[in-house]
Amino acid sequence: MTEPYVKGVATAGRDAPPARRGPVVAALMLGMGLAAIDGTIVSTAVPQIVGDLGGLSVFSWLFSGYLLAVTVTLPVYGKLSDTCGRKPVLITGVVLFLIGSLLCAGAWNMASLIAFRVVQGLGGGALQGTIQTIAADLYPLKERPKIQAKLSSVWAASSVAGPAAGGLLAGYADWRWIFLINLPVGLVALWLIVRNLVEPPRPATDGTDGAHARVAGAGRSRAHVPGAGRPHAAARARVARTGAPRARVRVDWPGALAVFATGALLLTALVQGGVAWPWLSAPSLGLFAGAAALGAVTVVVERRAAEPIIPGWVWCRRTIAAVNLALGALGLLMVAPTVFLPTYAQSVLGLGPIAAGFVLSVMTLSWPITAAFSNRVYSRIGFRLTAVLGISIALLLLLAFPFLPFPGEPWQPALLMLLLGGALGFFQLPLIVGVQSTVPYGERGTTTASVLFCRQVGQSIGAAVFGAVANGVLASRLGDSGDLDTLARALDDPGSLTATAIDQLRRAVDAAVDHVFVGAAGAAALALLVLLTLAPRRFPVLKEAAGDED
């Protein structure tokens, strides 16, 4: 049974004239492109950056620092977009990203470049969450897969164009240009946003219609109650006099700082554990203990806040909690293809970097295609069943990877990745669209950010866990002779090894990656279990979309 909702709140984000949608969508795609291409274009230029600035021992923080900043700011920006509006948050994100890019281009050593990458990440967190939220605001439920497929296609194109562009700029110009090319793209996006994005009047939050946060403590916001969200008589009178409701913005800055600090410590422990220091060393244990202590402080601060950054209803509502956990498992399983498959393709199959990248990129090509057609499926069988279908197929494909022959042909893993991308398109998009459709306009930013935050945290946990699994398998096969990176470098120079040693190394890498994919299948099984046991059979969509899932 679909719960009753107040019609009008959910559709407020689509009151802008349709004629302005085109430029806004173009701005969203450009903004998403900035975030999507960042990692791939930088990774290609790492040798040139290290050769110019030094800092080989800490260069991994070029990516870790950016990832930390994006992840820990997602919930903060999500709440701010609900409180202050999408447009100012998105503009802030683009400006921060461009400032960070300009500073990166002028970096004088590795420490300064890492610091400026964190500034970029502060902008990237606003881009990822707010763009997804605005996309849901602009389109009704039936049309959302179209815009989501467009955004997914940006990621697909970036996965292919990023390494090529980074290699060309680093090889024939200067690595600093990989940051400078963000400026014209970002400025065009900024101009389109300022000129064309028009937000609806925001409902009053000065007490006339009640603060839903107080009700959310019971696991249910006012948006779930018939009549909730309707302006109080005094508010209606004020609107009649002024022409628009007057919102009083209250930002939970102590909560934002607590969330940021907790996330920073936790993700630092996950990213650097087993890499910069052993897992059971003092730094790792200290970071985990600090994260736990700050987590407890965060809970206390958020419970006392009138408008918490991470409200309790994010985890008290069954649908949102299920989607958060399921997409956290998605982040976990995605580490297998994105991190370990390129090493497998080069070390086991003997492919070059470009061909190895193609084996992975076919997954990003099929993903947006199935995502675009997913609405034809979930409009008939529902969001949950569509996601169950997608993750079940993904589970079988991940389990099939260890059965590939050794050494095998490149088309075999490429075919699996093509099918895996298609399966995950049916899994992720229905969950995101579905959960966005269960909340009103004023809660959509927080909900979207919580989903993306869980996926990012899952990815960080997956990198740590599967890295330990891979290194453990290698240690058992080869002793303590090295990790995946060391082996990949050894196989890149086969003249220094005997044929027997090469075969032994390749079999060891093959076994390690097989174990990782089995672990990824376990993450897929976890997502499937969450959907079957926790997610409701029918998502409680708002009234304006209630008939679309039946």
Side-chain angles (χ1 to χ4, degrees), residues 115-420:
F116 299 149
R117 285 281 289 166
V118 172
V119 176
Q120 261 193 319
L122 296 178
L127 290 176
Q128 290 194 27
T130 312
I131 286 173
Q132 293 279 3
T133 304
I134 294 175
D137 293 340
L138 286 173
Y139 289 87
L141 177 59
K142 289 184 177 180
E143 297 181 29
R144 282 178 196 161
K146 297 179 181 178
I147 179 61
Q148 292 290 350
K150 290 179 181 179
L151 296 178
S152 296
S153 68
V154 171
W155 285 94
S158 299
S159 68
V160 177
L168 288 173
L169 290 173
Y172 296 98
D174 188 275
W175 63 264
R176 299 179 190 272
W177 279 100
I178 67 177
F179 299 107
L180 291 175
I181 62 171
N182 291 333
L183 299 181
V185 177
L187 289 174
V188 172
L190 192 62
W191 180 77
L192 290 172
I193 293 165
V194 172
R195 184 177 177 84
N196 297 286
L197 181 58
V198 179
E199 291 195 272
R202 303 192 62 76
T205 58
D206 55 2
T208 56
D209 62 345
H212 69 259
R214 289 192 292 272
V215 184
R220 186 179 175 89
S221 77
R222 291 178 62 90
H224 284 75
V225 182
R230 295 175 182 168
H232 190 275
R236 291 196 298 269
R238 185 176 68 247
V239 173
R241 292 193 305 271
T242 63
R246 182 181 61 201
R248 187 176 70 186
V249 175
R250 290 184 292 183
V251 179
D252 176 26
W253 293 116
L257 180 61
V259 170
F260 188 93
T262 303
L265 287 185
L266 176 61
L267 291 175
T268 301
L270 291 172
V271 170
Q272 295 298 106
V275 179
W277 47 70
W279 282 109
L280 297 180
S281 64
S284 277
L285 296 177
L287 285 171
F288 281 119
L294 283 176
V297 172
T298 302
V299 171
V300 173
V301 171
E302 293 294 81
R303 282 186 173 180
R304 295 180 177 178
E307 293 287 342
I309 293 296
I310 303 181
W313 53 260
V314 168
W315 290 105
C316 292
R317 296 183 193 173
R318 182 180 171 188
T319 306
I320 301 176
V323 173
N324 282 343
L325 292 174
L327 289 188
L330 173 65
L332 192 69
L333 74 86
M334 283 300 296
V335 171
T338 57
V339 175
F340 291 92
L341 187 63
T343 298
Y344 171 87
Q346 294 182 65
S347 301
V348 178
L349 302 181
L351 301 178
I354 296 177
F358 176 77
V359 172
L360 175 61
S361 66
V362 293
M363 180 179 70
T364 63
L365 298 177
S366 59
W367 193 316
I369 295 174
T370 55
F373 287 97
S374 65
N375 66 320
R376 300 186 181 183
V377 180
Y378 68 64
S379 63
R380 289 174 172 80
I381 66 175
F383 293 117
R384 188 187 75 157
L385 194 53
T386 304
V388 165
L389 176 65
I391 197 63
S392 298
I393 297 173
L395 172 59
L396 296 176
L397 293 169
L398 291 168
L399 287 175
F401 188 90
F403 292 98
L404 292 179
F406 175 87
E409 298 293 334
W411 66 266
Q412 294 167 334
L415 178 60
L416 283 183
M417 292 305 103
L418 183 70
L419 297 175
L420 181 63

Side-chain angles (χ1 to χ4, degrees), residues 444-473:
R444 194 174 291 147
T446 299
T447 301
T448 304
S450 73
V451 168
L452 298 179
F453 174 77
C454 289
R455 189 179 66 185
Q456 291 282 94
V457 171
Q459 190 170 354
S460 298
I461 294 174
V465 171
F466 292 149
V469 169
N471 286 326
V473 173

